[in-house]
Amino acid sequence: MQNLLSALLIGGITMTASAASAAERIVTFGVDNMTCGSCPYIVKASMTSVGGVHDVAISLEAKTVTVTFDDTRTTAEAIGAASTNAGYPAHLQQGS
């Protein structure tokens, strides 16, 4: 019984450590070809379809997209590629 409790305790600590090491990252993309009111919906749909993306905030006026994601599940490059594949080329802005 004591071995079972020890195993459960160690497993719980390991699972907690894994969850705590997940890093949330925020990046900003410049996005080309956003010219009308429906463009942001397409960009947002393409980016949120990438696993690990938590939030997508778009400025049509500035032609930028700020994305919050779990960098243990995806990369900024994969998110940008999703937008590019939808017809809206995305490039990381400096400092992201």
Side-chain angles (χ1 to χ4, degrees):
M1 183 68 153
Q2 186 174 3
N3 288 340
L4 177 61
L5 289 175
S6 295
L8 289 173
L9 179 61
I10 291 170
I13 291 170
T14 303
M15 289 174 60
T16 303
S18 295
S21 67
E24 189 173 81
R25 189 165 163 212
I26 300 172
V27 296
T28 301
F29 294 93
V31 180
D32 301 330
N33 299 339
M34 286 200 305
T35 58
C36 70
S38 63
C39 295
Y41 295 105
I42 298 167
V43 172
K44 185 171 186 169
S46 68
M47 290 183 167
T48 56
S49 72
V50 177
V53 171
H54 299 297
D55 187 51
V56 176
I58 298 175
S59 170
L60 178 59
E61 296 79 26
K63 297 188 183 335
T64 61
V65 180
T66 302
V67 181
T68 305
F69 67 99
D70 177 345
D71 72 357
T72 64
R73 296 189 58 208
T74 192
T75 64
E77 291 76 16
I79 298 165
S83 180
T84 299
N85 290 339
Y88 298 89
H91 45 88
L92 281 172
Q93 292 194 328
Q94 290 224 279
S96 285

